[in-house]
Amino acid sequence: MNALHKTVASLALAVTLAGVADQAAAFCGFYVAQADATLFNNASRVVIARRGNLTTMTMANDYKGEPKQFAIVIPVPTVVKKDQIRISENALIDQLDGYTAPRMAEYWDEDPCNPPIYYGDEEMSADDGSGGGGRSAPTKVPDYKVTIEATYDVGEYDIVILSAEEAGGLERWLTDNGYHIPAGASGVLGSYIKQNMKFFVAKVDLAEKNKLEQPFLRPLQVEYESPKFMLPIRLGMVNSNGPQDLVVYALTEKGRVETTNYRTTKIPTDMDVPEYVAGEFGPFYKALFQKQVAKQGMQTVFLEYAWPLSISCDPCTGIYLSADTLTKMGAGWASEYHGGVNGGFVTRLHVRYDMAHFPEDLTFQETADASTFQGRYVIHHPFTGDATCEAGRAYKKDLYTRQETEITNVASLTGWSTETIRKKVPGHSNAPAPKTGGSWWEQQ
Amino acid sequence: MPAAYVVPMPEDPRFYQIACLTALLAYGVTFLEFDVTPLRIVAILATAQLTQYAGSRWKGIPFDPLSALTSSLSLCLLLRANHVPVLMLAAVISIGSKFVFRLGQKHVFNPTNLGIALVVALSGDAWISPGQWGNQATLAFLFACLGGFVVHRSERMDVTFATLLFWGSVVIGRSMWLGEPMTIPFHRLQSGSILLFAFFMISDPKTTPDHRVGRVLFAALVCAFAYYWQFKLFKNSGLIWGLVLMSPLVPLIDRLLPGPKYTWPGGKQPLPESAPQLTGEALAAK
C-alpha cells in the first residue's frame, strides 16, 4: 500500500503515523510525567469546540509521508464557507493534549519522627498560535452528479467542498481527481450522501507547502453550524489494518461531554503505584489503557479528563490554557478572568475502535456534569532517613504492606506480573508475601 | 409491613418490576459504574415515599408505597445530576404529578418520565446518559424484562411490544434506506435504554390508553415523535421526550377508543376467579 493509499484509508480523519515521543517537563509542583497522545501509534487527535449548534473541529495532522501524497476526505454536516476553514497550529493541540493527559502525582513521606508543617505550591503560564484564508466558486459537475460547492486555498491545503447525489459519481470524481478510494468506501459514502452530508476534501498545495519553514503539515480547522454533534469514524475504518486510537478534546460551555451511542467509562484513577513507575510512566499508561480496553471488550469510550476551565488543574501537566488559546480552538466563550479563564469545560475522551466493535459514528452530548475527573496515579516516596523513634518503627512496618498494595495495583491496572513489578521495588524482589517475623529491612 | 408483600410469587406485577429494577440498579452500580451513590439512591427513594405519603393524605386515600418505589427506582436508573436536591426535586415532581395531573382513575403523565423531562429541561443541572448501558448486557437485560412478562402475564404488555416493533422498524428501515450495514441498527437497538423504556416506562398501565388499539396507536405516536427528534433534529433520548409530549393525547385516544380502566391486581377491579386476592396497603387505590 503506497502512502496515499494509507492516507485515504484513514479518510475521515487526517492520517497519523506518529512514533513514540516523551515530553517530560514539570510546570507545576507535583507533576512528574504525563501520558500524552503521542504514546499511541496511529492516534488521531481532534479538538471539538461546541456551543449550541456551532462546532469548530480542529484535526491534528501528523502525517509523515510525502506531502504531495497527502489527502483526506471528511464528511461534514453542512456546506462549509470560506471563512469557516482555518489553519491551526500543532502546538495548540499539543498544549491541549499535555494539559489533559493522564498524569502522575508524587508525594514524599514525611519524617515520621519530625512531622513538618504543611507546605504546597502552584504556578501558571500562557501560549498562542495563528490562522489562514481562501476563495470560493460553486460549480456543478453533471457527469459525476457531484456539485463542487466551493474550492478554497487555505495555507498549504487545497480544499474542495463537495455535495453528491450518489456514491458512484462521488467515487469517480475523487478517483479522476487523483484520490485513491479504498474498496468498500462506496457504501459508506452513499449513506452519508443520503443523510445530506457534504464532503470536505483536502490535499496539499506543494507550492504553498514549500514556502513554509516547518516540515510538517498544520492542523485543519473547520467550523460549521449543525445540530449534529458527532464525529464520523466509519470512513476511516474502511480498509484499516486493525484498531485505531482517537483522542477527542471537547471544549464546551458548561459540562462534561460523553458519547450517547457508546458507553463512556472513566479510566481507573487515583491509584497508588510504586516509585519506579515515575521513570516509565509512558509504558505504564499504555499497558493500563490496553488492559482497560480488553476488560471492557473494546466497547467503551474512556474518559481521561473532565475539568471546568475556571478551576485550576491539580496537579498540572501542561501549560495553562489561556482564553486566547481556547479562542483559537473555537472556544471563544472562555474569557480571561483574574489570571484564569471564566467559563468553559474541557473533556478528554480516548477510544480504541475497529469496525467490529464500533459500527456507527460517534455521537456526543454535553451533559450538565460539572464535576472534575482526571486520570491520576500517585507515588509516595518512602522516607529514607533513620526514623529510629517509636513512630518511625511503626512507619517502617506499614511501608512494606503499602508497597505490596502498590505492586498489586500496578499488576491489576496493567496486567503485568507481580514478580516483574516486585523486582523493581526495593526490598520486594524476593518477597512474594509479607513475613510475620518482622519487616524486610529488619530481616536484612 | 403486611405479609402479602413478601410472598414469593405475588401477582402484583409491581413486585416483579421492583425486583427487576433493583437488580438492574445493582448491576449498573457494580459493573457499569453508574454515577449514583447510596446517598443519592436513599434520597430519591425517601423523597418519593414522603411525597406519596403527603399526596395520599391530601387526597384522603390509603398509602401505597409500591408505585412510588417503582418510579423512584427508575429515577435512580435514568437520571443524573450534579446536586442531590435536584434529584429529590425530580422525585417530588414524579410522584406529585400523579396527584396533580390526573383524569378520573388515571394520571396524565408517566411519573418518572415527567420528573426526568422537567428537571433535565429546566434545572440545567441534570442529564440522562443514553449510552450508559452499553451494548454488552442486552441479552441478560432482555431476559430479565421478558421474565416480568412471563411472571405476571400482564395484558398491558401490548404497548411494550408495539413500541419495540415500531422503534425497531424505523431504526432498521432508516438504515436500510441509507444503505448502512445491519450492524448499525442492531447496535442502536441493543441499547439497554430502549428495553428499559419499553418494559418499565411506556408500559405503565396507569398512563397508557385503555383500549388495545389505542395503546398500539399511542406507541406509534411516541415512536414517530422519537424518530423526528433523533433523526431529524439530531437530539438524544427521543423516546423519553416522545412519551412526555404525547401523553396529553391519551385522554383524547381514550375518548375515541374507550376501554376498561386498569387497576393493579387485587384492587377495585374484579380479578379472574383463579387469582388469589391480596390485601393490605399494596392493594390500595392510587
Side-chain angles (χ1 to χ4, degrees), chain A residues 216-399:
Chain A
F216 48 82
L217 295 165
R218 292 176 295 176
L220 272 166
Q221 188 175 77
V222 188
E223 179 187 289
Y224 54 83
E225 192 149 7
S226 166
K228 292 180 185 176
F229 189 8
M230 54 89 76
L231 202 56
I233 59 170
R234 291 176 60 212
L235 273 176
M237 290 189 286
V238 173
N239 212 19
S240 87
N241 290 325
Q244 305 173 51
D245 274 38
L246 167 69
V247 180
V248 177
Y249 315 87
L251 298 167
T252 45
E253 229 176 343
K254 53 179 239 182
R256 178 177 58 82
V257 168
E258 65 181 19
T259 39
T260 55
N261 55 348
Y262 298 96
R263 195 157 73 86
T264 306
T265 51
K266 290 173 176 166
I267 201 80
T269 188
D270 285 338
M271 304 284 274
D272 290 340
V273 296
E275 275 185 293
Y276 85 89
V277 174
E280 45 188 273
F281 188 56
F284 163 79
Y285 190 74
K286 272 175 88 169
L288 181 154
F289 190 77
Q290 170 63 36
K291 175 87 191 297
Q292 298 311 314
V293 168
K295 187 179 164 191
Q296 299 288 350
M298 204 174 168
Q299 303 230 4
T300 63
V301 174
F302 290 94
L303 179 71
E304 290 184 328
Y305 195 74
W307 212 268
L309 290 166
S310 55
I311 298 179
S312 175
C313 45
D314 177 28
C316 297
T317 58
I319 302 168
Y320 158 69
L321 298 172
S322 67
D324 183 50
T325 302
L326 293 164
T327 301
K328 283 173 178 159
M329 291 282 109
W333 59 86
S335 55
E336 208 80 46
Y337 182 75
H338 290 291
V341 173
N342 189 19
F345 198 95
V346 60
T347 307
R348 176 193 177 107
L349 298 168
H350 186 171
V351 56
R352 183 163 297 165
Y353 63 98
D354 64 14
M355 191 76 96
H357 300 91
F358 285 80
E360 53 174 324
D361 291 330
L362 304 177
T363 57
F364 304 98
Q365 70 172 2
E366 178 188 7
T367 70
D369 186 2
S371 59
T372 59
F373 175 82
Q374 58 183 339
R376 176 175 173 270
Y377 309 93
V378 183
I379 286 175
H380 293 278
H381 296 282
F383 177 71
T384 52
D386 290 340
T388 51
C389 66
E390 179 93 9
R393 284 191 290 277
Y395 165 79
K396 297 266 180 181
K397 279 184 182 171
D398 291 341
L399 183 62

Side-chain angles (χ1 to χ4, degrees), chain B residues 167-187:
Chain B
W167 188 243
S169 300
V170 296
V171 170
I172 292 171
R174 180 174 183 274
S175 284
M176 287 173 74
W177 175 69
L178 290 175
E180 291 176 342
M182 280 301 106
T183 48
I184 290 182
F186 289 145
H187 182 264

Side-chain angles (χ1 to χ4, degrees), chain A residues 4-138:
Chain A
L4 178 59
H5 202 156
K6 276 182 189 167
T7 306
V8 181
S10 285
L11 284 172
L13 301 164
V15 71
T16 54
L17 302 168
V20 175
D22 276 326
Q23 294 175 18
F27 294 101
C28 302
F30 294 132
Y31 160 73
V32 290
Q34 67 185 39
D36 59 37
T38 56
L39 277 170
F40 297 90
N41 289 325
N42 296 319
S44 302
R45 301 188 297 164
V46 181
V47 184
I48 304 177
R50 185 170 166 96
R51 179 163 70 162
N53 285 339
L54 187 63
T55 303
T56 305
M57 190 162 79
T58 310
M59 295 156 287
N61 190 349
D62 35 9
Y63 175 73
K64 298 291 194 295
E66 276 294 308
K68 69 176 180 183
Q69 293 184 318
F70 171 82
I72 51 167
V73 178
I74 307 163
V76 284
T78 59
V79 173
V80 182
K81 302 220 164 46
K82 178 181 171 182
D83 59 355
Q84 293 179 305
I85 304 172
R86 289 178 286 270
I87 300 291
S88 187
E89 293 297 326
N90 279 318
L92 293 176
I93 299 180
D94 291 343
Q95 188 186 342
L96 195 50
D97 181 51
Y99 190 80
T100 57
R103 62 208 59 206
M104 179 147 278
E106 59 182 344
Y107 300 92
W108 282 261
D109 287 352
E110 298 155 357
D111 180 349
C113 301
N114 292 296
I117 307 299
Y118 177 77
Y119 54 89
D121 59 356
E122 193 175 308
E123 65 186 65
M124 291 175 176
S125 61
D127 196 19
D128 63 353
S130 68
R135 64 182 160 75
S136 85

